[in-house]
PDB file of all heavy atoms in Angstrom:
ATOM      1  N   ASP A 246      42.669 -26.362  39.773  1.00 95.00           N
ATOM      2  CA  ASP A 246      41.221 -26.567  39.890  1.00 95.00           C
ATOM      3  C   ASP A 246      40.901 -27.923  40.518  1.00 95.00           C
ATOM      4  O   ASP A 246      41.798 -28.663  40.937  1.00 95.00           O
ATOM      5  CB  ASP A 246      40.521 -26.364  38.543  1.00 95.00           C
ATOM      6  CG  ASP A 246      40.749 -27.500  37.550  1.00 95.00           C
ATOM      7  OD1 ASP A 246      41.320 -28.549  37.928  1.00 95.00           O
ATOM      8  OD2 ASP A 246      40.343 -27.343  36.378  1.00 95.00           O
ATOM      9  N   ASP A 247      39.615 -28.262  40.589  1.00 92.00           N
ATOM     10  CA  ASP A 247      39.182 -29.477  41.278  1.00 92.00           C
ATOM     11  C   ASP A 247      39.667 -30.753  40.600  1.00 92.00           C
ATOM     12  O   ASP A 247      39.727 -31.809  41.228  1.00 92.00           O
ATOM     13  CB  ASP A 247      37.651 -29.510  41.367  1.00 92.00           C
ATOM     14  CG  ASP A 247      37.100 -28.383  42.224  1.00 92.00           C
ATOM     15  OD1 ASP A 247      37.875 -27.814  43.014  1.00 92.00           O
ATOM     16  OD2 ASP A 247      35.900 -28.069  42.097  1.00 92.00           O
ATOM     17  N   GLU A 248      39.979 -30.680  39.304  1.00 93.00           N
ATOM     18  CA  GLU A 248      40.474 -31.847  38.568  1.00 93.00           C
ATOM     19  C   GLU A 248      41.997 -31.877  38.509  1.00 93.00           C
ATOM     20  O   GLU A 248      42.576 -32.642  37.737  1.00 93.00           O
ATOM     21  CB  GLU A 248      39.910 -31.859  37.141  1.00 93.00           C
ATOM     22  CG  GLU A 248      38.443 -32.257  37.045  1.00 93.00           C
ATOM     23  CD  GLU A 248      37.517 -31.161  37.542  1.00 93.00           C
ATOM     24  OE1 GLU A 248      37.771 -29.989  37.210  1.00 93.00           O
ATOM     25  OE2 GLU A 248      36.559 -31.473  38.267  1.00 93.00           O
ATOM     26  N   GLU A 249      42.641 -31.014  39.310  1.00 94.00           N
ATOM     27  CA  GLU A 249      44.102 -30.896  39.342  1.00 94.00           C
ATOM     28  C   GLU A 249      44.671 -30.400  38.016  1.00 94.00           C
ATOM     29  O   GLU A 249      45.833 -30.664  37.679  1.00 94.00           O
ATOM     30  CB  GLU A 249      44.752 -32.221  39.751  1.00 94.00           C
ATOM     31  CG  GLU A 249      44.378 -32.666  41.162  1.00 94.00           C
ATOM     32  CD  GLU A 249      45.043 -33.965  41.560  1.00 94.00           C
ATOM     33  OE1 GLU A 249      46.280 -34.047  41.488  1.00 94.00           O
ATOM     34  OE2 GLU A 249      44.311 -34.897  41.931  1.00 94.00           O
ATOM     35  N   THR A 250      43.856 -29.682  37.265  1.00 97.00           N
ATOM     36  CA  THR A 250      44.355 -28.976  36.084  1.00 97.00           C
ATOM     37  C   THR A 250      44.982 -27.668  36.542  1.00 97.00           C
ATOM     38  O   THR A 250      44.405 -26.948  37.362  1.00 97.00           O
ATOM     39  CB  THR A 250      43.216 -28.695  35.089  1.00 97.00           C
ATOM     40  OG1 THR A 250      42.690 -29.945  34.619  1.00 97.00           O
ATOM     41  CG2 THR A 250      43.710 -27.886  33.903  1.00 97.00           C
ATOM     42  N   LEU A 251      46.165 -27.371  36.020  1.00 98.00           N
ATOM     43  CA  LEU A 251      46.892 -26.166  36.399  1.00 98.00           C
ATOM     44  C   LEU A 251      46.651 -25.059  35.381  1.00 98.00           C
ATOM     45  O   LEU A 251      46.555 -25.315  34.177  1.00 98.00           O
ATOM     46  CB  LEU A 251      48.394 -26.441  36.475  1.00 98.00           C
ATOM     47  CG  LEU A 251      48.872 -27.641  37.291  1.00 98.00           C
ATOM     48  CD1 LEU A 251      50.395 -27.710  37.261  1.00 98.00           C
ATOM     49  CD2 LEU A 251      48.375 -27.565  38.711  1.00 98.00           C
ATOM     50  N   TYR A 252      46.585 -23.836  35.882  1.00 98.00           N
ATOM     51  CA  TYR A 252      46.572 -22.641  35.038  1.00 98.00           C
ATOM     52  C   TYR A 252      47.723 -21.770  35.517  1.00 98.00           C
ATOM     53  O   TYR A 252      47.779 -21.397  36.694  1.00 98.00           O
ATOM     54  CB  TYR A 252      45.241 -21.902  35.152  1.00 98.00           C
ATOM     55  CG  TYR A 252      44.069 -22.705  34.627  1.00 98.00           C
ATOM     56  CD1 TYR A 252      43.404 -23.612  35.445  1.00 98.00           C
ATOM     57  CD2 TYR A 252      43.645 -22.574  33.308  1.00 98.00           C
ATOM     58  CE1 TYR A 252      42.348 -24.366  34.967  1.00 98.00           C
ATOM     59  CE2 TYR A 252      42.586 -23.325  32.819  1.00 98.00           C
ATOM     60  CZ  TYR A 252      41.941 -24.217  33.654  1.00 98.00           C
ATOM     61  OH  TYR A 252      40.897 -24.970  33.171  1.00 98.00           O
ATOM     62  N   ILE A 253      48.652 -21.457  34.621  1.00 98.00           N
ATOM     63  CA  ILE A 253      49.873 -20.753  34.996  1.00 98.00           C
ATOM     64  C   ILE A 253      49.989 -19.462  34.197  1.00 98.00           C
ATOM     65  O   ILE A 253      49.798 -19.458  32.972  1.00 98.00           O
ATOM     66  CB  ILE A 253      51.122 -21.627  34.747  1.00 98.00           C
ATOM     67  CG1 ILE A 253      51.013 -22.954  35.506  1.00 98.00           C
ATOM     68  CG2 ILE A 253      52.386 -20.891  35.158  1.00 98.00           C
ATOM     69  CD1 ILE A 253      50.688 -24.135  34.642  1.00 98.00           C
ATOM     70  N   ALA A 254      50.288 -18.371  34.905  1.00 98.00           N
ATOM     71  CA  ALA A 254      50.563 -17.097  34.238  1.00 98.00           C
ATOM     72  C   ALA A 254      52.003 -17.143  33.730  1.00 98.00           C
ATOM     73  O   ALA A 254      52.952 -17.019  34.509  1.00 98.00           O
ATOM     74  CB  ALA A 254      50.355 -15.940  35.205  1.00 98.00           C
ATOM     75  N   ASP A 255      52.158 -17.355  32.428  1.00 98.00           N
ATOM     76  CA  ASP A 255      53.472 -17.464  31.782  1.00 98.00           C
ATOM     77  C   ASP A 255      53.867 -16.052  31.352  1.00 98.00           C
ATOM     78  O   ASP A 255      53.637 -15.634  30.218  1.00 98.00           O
ATOM     79  CB  ASP A 255      53.360 -18.420  30.598  1.00 98.00           C
ATOM     80  CG  ASP A 255      54.702 -18.784  29.990  1.00 98.00           C
ATOM     81  OD1 ASP A 255      55.741 -18.428  30.578  1.00 98.00           O
ATOM     82  OD2 ASP A 255      54.704 -19.421  28.922  1.00 98.00           O
ATOM     83  N   GLN A 256      54.499 -15.343  32.281  1.00 97.00           N
ATOM     84  CA  GLN A 256      54.596 -13.889  32.191  1.00 97.00           C
ATOM     85  C   GLN A 256      55.262 -13.384  30.916  1.00 97.00           C
ATOM     86  O   GLN A 256      54.690 -12.600  30.157  1.00 97.00           O
ATOM     87  CB  GLN A 256      55.328 -13.351  33.424  1.00 97.00           C
ATOM     88  CG  GLN A 256      55.244 -11.842  33.566  1.00 97.00           C
ATOM     89  CD  GLN A 256      56.019 -11.349  34.773  1.00 97.00           C
ATOM     90  OE1 GLN A 256      57.184 -11.681  34.961  1.00 97.00           O
ATOM     91  NE2 GLN A 256      55.368 -10.557  35.606  1.00 97.00           N
ATOM     92  N   ARG A 257      56.472 -13.815  30.646  1.00 97.00           N
ATOM     93  CA  ARG A 257      57.206 -13.238  29.514  1.00 97.00           C
ATOM     94  C   ARG A 257      56.793 -13.820  28.166  1.00 97.00           C
ATOM     95  O   ARG A 257      57.228 -13.319  27.124  1.00 97.00           O
ATOM     96  CB  ARG A 257      58.711 -13.394  29.730  1.00 97.00           C
ATOM     97  CG  ARG A 257      59.224 -12.542  30.879  1.00 97.00           C
ATOM     98  CD  ARG A 257      60.729 -12.383  30.838  1.00 97.00           C
ATOM     99  NE  ARG A 257      61.199 -11.528  31.910  1.00 97.00           N
ATOM    100  CZ  ARG A 257      62.457 -11.129  32.055  1.00 97.00           C
ATOM    101  NH1 ARG A 257      63.376 -11.528  31.178  1.00 97.00           N
ATOM    102  NH2 ARG A 257      62.807 -10.350  33.054  1.00 97.00           N
ATOM    103  N   ASN A 258      55.968 -14.852  28.203  1.00 98.00           N
ATOM    104  CA  ASN A 258      55.355 -15.326  26.958  1.00 98.00           C
ATOM    105  C   ASN A 258      53.976 -14.701  26.749  1.00 98.00           C
ATOM    106  O   ASN A 258      53.297 -15.023  25.774  1.00 98.00           O
ATOM    107  CB  ASN A 258      55.245 -16.850  26.950  1.00 98.00           C
ATOM    108  CG  ASN A 258      56.568 -17.529  26.606  1.00 98.00           C
ATOM    109  OD1 ASN A 258      57.323 -17.038  25.771  1.00 98.00           O
ATOM    110  ND2 ASN A 258      56.844 -18.651  27.255  1.00 98.00           N
ATOM    111  N   HIS A 259      53.555 -13.853  27.693  1.00 98.00           N
ATOM    112  CA  HIS A 259      52.313 -13.077  27.561  1.00 98.00           C
ATOM    113  C   HIS A 259      51.111 -13.981  27.289  1.00 98.00           C
ATOM    114  O   HIS A 259      50.313 -13.745  26.381  1.00 98.00           O
ATOM    115  CB  HIS A 259      52.456 -12.032  26.443  1.00 98.00           C
ATOM    116  CG  HIS A 259      53.738 -11.264  26.505  1.00 98.00           C
ATOM    117  ND1 HIS A 259      54.002 -10.357  27.497  1.00 98.00           N
ATOM    118  CD2 HIS A 259      54.855 -11.317  25.721  1.00 98.00           C
ATOM    119  CE1 HIS A 259      55.221  -9.847  27.315  1.00 98.00           C
ATOM    120  NE2 HIS A 259      55.764 -10.426  26.253  1.00 98.00           N
ATOM    121  N   ARG A 260      50.987 -15.001  28.153  1.00 98.00           N
ATOM    122  CA  ARG A 260      49.921 -15.976  27.927  1.00 98.00           C
ATOM    123  C   ARG A 260      49.581 -16.703  29.227  1.00 98.00           C
ATOM    124  O   ARG A 260      50.334 -16.653  30.207  1.00 98.00           O
ATOM    125  CB  ARG A 260      50.354 -16.999  26.869  1.00 98.00           C
ATOM    126  CG  ARG A 260      51.524 -17.872  27.312  1.00 98.00           C
ATOM    127  CD  ARG A 260      52.076 -18.736  26.189  1.00 98.00           C
ATOM    128  NE  ARG A 260      53.143 -19.634  26.672  1.00 98.00           N
ATOM    129  CZ  ARG A 260      53.832 -20.455  25.907  1.00 98.00           C
ATOM    130  NH1 ARG A 260      53.589 -20.509  24.588  1.00 98.00           N
ATOM    131  NH2 ARG A 260      54.776 -21.240  26.420  1.00 98.00           N
ATOM    132  N   ILE A 261      48.448 -17.401  29.202  1.00 98.00           N
ATOM    133  CA  ILE A 261      48.062 -18.318  30.267  1.00 98.00           C
ATOM    134  C   ILE A 261      48.106 -19.727  29.689  1.00 98.00           C
ATOM    135  O   ILE A 261      47.517 -19.997  28.631  1.00 98.00           O
ATOM    136  CB  ILE A 261      46.647 -18.016  30.807  1.00 98.00           C
ATOM    137  CG1 ILE A 261      46.545 -16.561  31.281  1.00 98.00           C
ATOM    138  CG2 ILE A 261      46.292 -18.990  31.930  1.00 98.00           C
ATOM    139  CD1 ILE A 261      47.462 -16.189  32.423  1.00 98.00           C
TER     140      ILE A 261
END
Side-chain angles (χ1 to χ4, degrees):
D246 73 9
D247 295 341
E248 286 73 43
E249 297 181 55
T250 297
L251 309 181
Y252 295 86
I253 303 105
D255 189 9
Q256 191 182 51
R257 292 197 178 186
N258 281 323
H259 314 291
R260 65 188 184 183
I261 304 298

